[in-house]
Amino acid sequence: MSKTFTDQFTDSVSAFLDRHPQAAKLTLTAVAASALTAAGILGYQATQRHHLTRSSSLLNGKRPSSATAAIDKPWAIESNVPKSPSTTDEQLHEITSFLGSHRTERLRDSFVIVVGAGGVGSWAALMLLRAGVGRIRIIDFDQVTLSSLNRHAVATLEDVGTPKVTAIKSHFKRIAPFVEVDARIGLFNAETADELLAGSPDYVVDAIDNIDTKLDLIKYCYDRHMNVISSMGAGAKADPSRIQIADISETLEDQLARAVRRKLKKMNIEKGVPVVYSAEKPHHVKLLPLEENRVEEADDYAALPEFRSRILPVLGTIPSMFGMAIAAYLILKLTDYPEFEPLVIKLREGLYGRMYRDLISRESRVYKNKACPLDTQDVAYIFEEMWRGSSILSGPNDRVALVRWIRSKPLSYYNTVCMTKEEARVHENLPMETNLCEFYGDEICRAVEERFNRERRIRQLWDHVF
């Protein structure tokens, strides 16, 4: 009777084991180790998947198998994720860890209106949504185009031809269904302002391209004491390190900001409007030719004076960063984040150098000190970050200097203040034993000590890290 293939294979393996017992042991050991390793990895993955799916599916009474099916098919997750307070809290866990539960609740109770749903507005709205802002109203009249896909936060090819706010609302629902999104298809102007901005928003975001409409929105909010932050020109800009947040009165190198600033001044608005802008001066980007079918409507596309924004080339990353900067600013403002005050960078290295040389000269002349413990970077930090480029006694001034606060103590981050040059001369001539609180007043002394103490806390927190 002939042997089957299985019998022949078994006999061959037995013969091999009889002839090579040591090799057989090593082979079996390797196979067993590999099997154990594979079993361990697969077991760990199965346990992790079971834990994740069970924790999400049991929250709304679903069997784990249905959630497991969703995990196996990532595109089907949306319909299987439970929408409950527990999952909302888990989704907002990171923002809560950062801000604390009390401030996160403030976000959940906040209402923000975003006017303009393009590259800047869509990103601002998206990050506010992800942070958990409770109500977001988005206003825009325009539709998604193929050319806008390089900078829009959520729009896809399937959204081309649909209103931007409709596309945004659809996508937002799948990201954070617990946020109330009010999509308004409409053109903001002075006539529609009362309707579109109704509801007492905590903040209004101006992400409008057209300069006249932008001015209408800013003035409407300013006159009614409504909080507003405005986006300036992102077109033709490329350097992310030049993006800043500042009051409109402190902007530089931005054509749109300059035009807005001048027009607002004619409306008796000189400051009090925070803006996001880029201090970069474009030097290599040219306007593209306007499409023939839009020549007669050229004014409708003006973002800069005499310019047409729709043909200003846009690097998609820059408007997205404008929008995210706006969102970060609003999150901190809405939650009263401690000691948040945007630093205005004025690109004045020449001034820092002059102030440093003046400081060395004063130390040598007045205190006979040949060495200065501070360098140019320290001078820039103390002047800009600590004292915001202003005299502690009289505020902003073009003629400023750094001096010792307590004259008997050496220069340091905790004993250097900013004054005008005239104030510095008076201060230097004070007797060493002068009581500064009696001379300058308790309010000034408290403000100085509070700033020094804040700097001490910062140093204590980070010095061990660096």
Side-chain angles (χ1 to χ4, degrees), residues 2 188 246 301 398:
S2 61
F188 176 89
Y301 302 96
D398 292 333

Side-chain angles (χ1 to χ4, degrees), residues 178-445:
F178 51 85
V179 174
E180 180 184 337
V181 180
D182 178 9
R184 302 285 185 96
I185 304 173
L187 176 65
F188 176 89
N189 53 43
E191 289 72 34
T192 61
D194 286 336
E195 176 189 354
L196 293 177
L197 300 185
S200 301
D202 296 292
Y203 250 100
V204 175
V205 176
D206 160 34
I208 300 174
D209 289 337
N210 182 277
I211 187 170
D212 293 327
T213 310
K214 180 178 292 288
L215 291 167
D216 286 341
L217 176 58
I218 294 173
K219 180 167 175 54
Y220 183 94
C221 293
Y222 186 90
D223 290 346
R224 289 160 180 78
H225 305 288
M226 297 170 66
N227 295 318
V228 62
I229 181 170
S230 180
S231 171
M232 297 292 107
K237 304 294 181 75
D239 186 351
S241 68
R242 302 298 182 94
I243 297 173
Q244 300 185 39
I245 299 177
D247 189 88
I248 185 66
S249 62
E250 298 178 306
T251 54
L252 69 159
E253 300 296 353
D254 187 301
Q255 296 294 329
L256 178 57
R258 180 179 292 114
V260 170
R261 187 172 62 245
R262 289 174 178 173
K263 290 176 181 287
L264 286 177
K265 191 172 183 179
K266 295 178 181 178
M267 301 176 181
N268 297 318
I269 302 174
E270 296 190 14
K271 59 182 180 179
V273 179
V275 301
V276 173
Y277 79 104
S278 170
E280 178 185 3
K281 180 182 287 186
H283 57 86
H284 61 287
V285 177
K286 298 179 180 179
L287 287 171
L288 301 175
L290 189 66
E291 298 171 22
E292 291 184 5
N293 62 344
R294 291 184 171 177
V295 171
E296 295 181 0
E297 304 172 333
D299 291 341
D300 293 337
Y301 302 96
L304 306 182
E306 309 301 329
F307 279 39
R308 291 163 289 200
S309 74
R310 298 306 175 90
I311 55 170
L312 256 181
V314 178
L315 184 63
T317 53
I318 300 302
S320 71
M321 294 176 74
F322 271 45
M324 285 189 276
I326 289 173
Y329 177 92
L330 292 191
I331 290 167
L332 300 183
K333 282 292 187 180
L334 290 168
T335 59
D336 290 328
Y337 193 75
E339 300 179 348
F340 170 59
E341 186 178 356
L343 174 63
V344 179
I345 305 298
K346 295 191 174 180
L347 307 177
R348 40 192 182 187
E349 287 79 4
L351 172 61
Y352 307 145
R354 291 192 296 273
M355 293 180 71
Y356 178 62
R357 292 190 293 271
D358 177 70
L359 186 60
I360 293 176
S361 175
R362 180 178 293 103
E363 283 289 300
S364 176
R365 184 183 71 255
V366 178
Y367 303 102
K368 311 304 179 185
N369 185 10
K370 299 298 183 181
C372 180
L374 305 177
D375 59 21
T376 307
Q377 291 183 337
D378 294 325
V379 166
Y381 177 85
I382 292 170
F383 177 61
E384 298 283 16
E385 178 73 20
M386 292 182 63
W387 304 115
R388 304 290 165 172
S390 300
S391 163
I392 62 169
L393 303 176
S394 56
N397 193 288
D398 292 333
R399 292 172 50 80
V400 289
L402 296 183
V403 295
R404 296 184 183 189
W405 175 237
I406 298 176
R407 297 186 58 224
S408 60
K409 295 183 178 181
L411 285 172
S412 72
Y413 277 77
Y414 320 123
N415 192 44
T416 306
V417 297
C418 180
M419 296 182 176
T420 67
K421 291 187 175 181
E422 292 75 16
E423 293 164 350
R425 278 193 289 270
V426 173
H427 186 76
E428 288 170 351
N429 291 321
L430 293 176
M432 286 286 189
E433 65 275 10
T434 299
N435 186 316
L436 296 179
C437 290
E438 291 181 358
F439 189 81
Y440 291 119
D442 290 339
E443 185 177 353
I444 294 293
C445 288

Side-chain angles (χ1 to χ4, degrees), residues 47-119:
T47 301
Q48 290 295 97
R49 183 168 64 250
H50 175 74
H51 171 73
L52 291 172
T53 56
R54 183 178 179 82
S55 62
S56 62
S57 62
L58 292 183
L59 284 172
N60 68 339
K62 291 186 176 181
R63 292 178 58 83
S65 57
S66 64
T68 304
I71 296 296
D72 292 338
K73 299 179 180 180
W75 57 86
I77 287 179
E78 179 195 349
S79 61
N80 288 282
V81 174
K83 301 173 179 63
S84 69
S86 297
T87 52
T88 299
D89 291 342
E90 185 174 352
Q91 185 170 341
L92 297 178
H93 172 73
E94 293 298 328
I95 193 74
T96 303
S97 298
F98 189 92
L99 296 175
S101 57
H102 179 63
R103 290 192 175 92
T104 302
E105 282 304 312
R106 288 189 183 182
L107 277 185
R108 298 294 306 279
D109 294 336
S110 297
F111 173 31
V112 176
I113 297 178
V114 180
V115 186

